[in-house]
């Protein structure tokens, strides 16, 4: 019995990481989990925008469609998709009825908001960072999303990253 209990404790404490997935951990590297992802909001220089449950900014990619993410491979390394294994939930000013998921080419479920697949940005390392706002990486614009589901196209915060990959 003690061996079985120890095995259960070890199993409960272990977790695996999977690139491109996110939970509320906010560690900068995304991890997968059984719990659903929370989409929340934050107010800062560009306006009120969507975040993950840890306060990290969420972006949309202008070349995506409501049913397809066009960011994969190297793009997804710099712009990890917001993925979930459960049903995404809304907090703050985010609207739950605007949340959905699509299935990516690798079989993972990516969270969408008002039809826009959602992404984090690798260089946003702290809650509230918006360094990806207005970026043209990978051939199209990256925008923060307002709780209305519309892109915020202002780059007035001055933190936009325009470097290429």
């Amino acid at each position: 019995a003690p061996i079985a209990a120890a095995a259960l404790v070890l199993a409960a404490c272990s977790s695996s990481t999977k690139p491109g997935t996110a939970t509320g951990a906010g560690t900068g590297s995304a991890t997968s989990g059984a719990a659903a992802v929370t989409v929340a909001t934050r107010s800062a220089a560009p306006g009120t925008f969507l975040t993950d449950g840890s306060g990290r900014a969420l972006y949309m990619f202008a070349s995506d469609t409501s049913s397809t993410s066009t960011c994969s491979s190297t793009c997804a390394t710099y712009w990890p998709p917001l993925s979930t294994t459960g049903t995404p939930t809304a907090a703050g000013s985010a609207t739950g009825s605007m949340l959905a998921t699509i299935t990516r080419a690798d079989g993972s479920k990516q969270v969408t908001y008002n039809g826009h697949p959602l992404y984090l940005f690798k260089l946003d390392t702290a809650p509230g960072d918006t360094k990806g706002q207005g970026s043209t990486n990978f051939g199209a614009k990256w925008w923060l999303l307002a709780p209305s589901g519309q892109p915020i196209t202002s780059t007035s915060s001055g933190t936009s990253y325009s470097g290429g990959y």
Side-chain angles (χ1 to χ4, degrees):
I3 293 173
L8 285 174
V9 169
L10 286 175
C13 293
S14 68
S15 67
S16 62
T17 57
K18 180 178 177 185
T21 59
T23 63
T27 61
S29 64
T31 59
S32 65
V37 170
T38 298
V39 174
T41 55
R42 181 181 193 101
S43 294
T48 300
F49 55 91
L50 300 180
T51 67
D52 69 3
S54 296
R56 291 188 61 208
L58 294 172
Y59 298 86
M60 54 89 49
F61 187 37
S63 70
D64 285 349
T65 67
S66 62
S67 61
T68 306
S69 166
T70 59
C71 179
S72 60
S73 190
T74 303
C75 177
T77 300
Y78 290 96
W79 296 92
L82 181 67
S83 298
T84 188
T85 57
T87 302
T89 59
S93 300
T95 303
S97 63
M98 290 190 180
L99 288 168
T101 60
I102 58 172
T103 302
R104 294 179 55 80
D106 65 3
S108 65
K109 297 285 184 192
Q110 183 172 3
V111 179
T112 64
Y113 192 83
N114 196 35
H116 300 288
L118 298 176
Y119 303 86
L120 298 159
F121 182 46
K122 183 178 181 175
L123 297 182
D124 287 349
T125 57
D129 283 355
T130 59
K131 295 174 184 159
Q133 176 67 350
S135 170
T136 56
N137 296 140
F138 301 97
K141 288 283 192 175
W142 294 89
W143 299 117
L144 296 166
L145 277 177
S148 66
Q150 298 302 309
I152 298 171
T153 57
S154 165
T155 56
S156 61
S157 67
T159 60
S160 178
Y161 178 78
S162 59
Y165 300 111

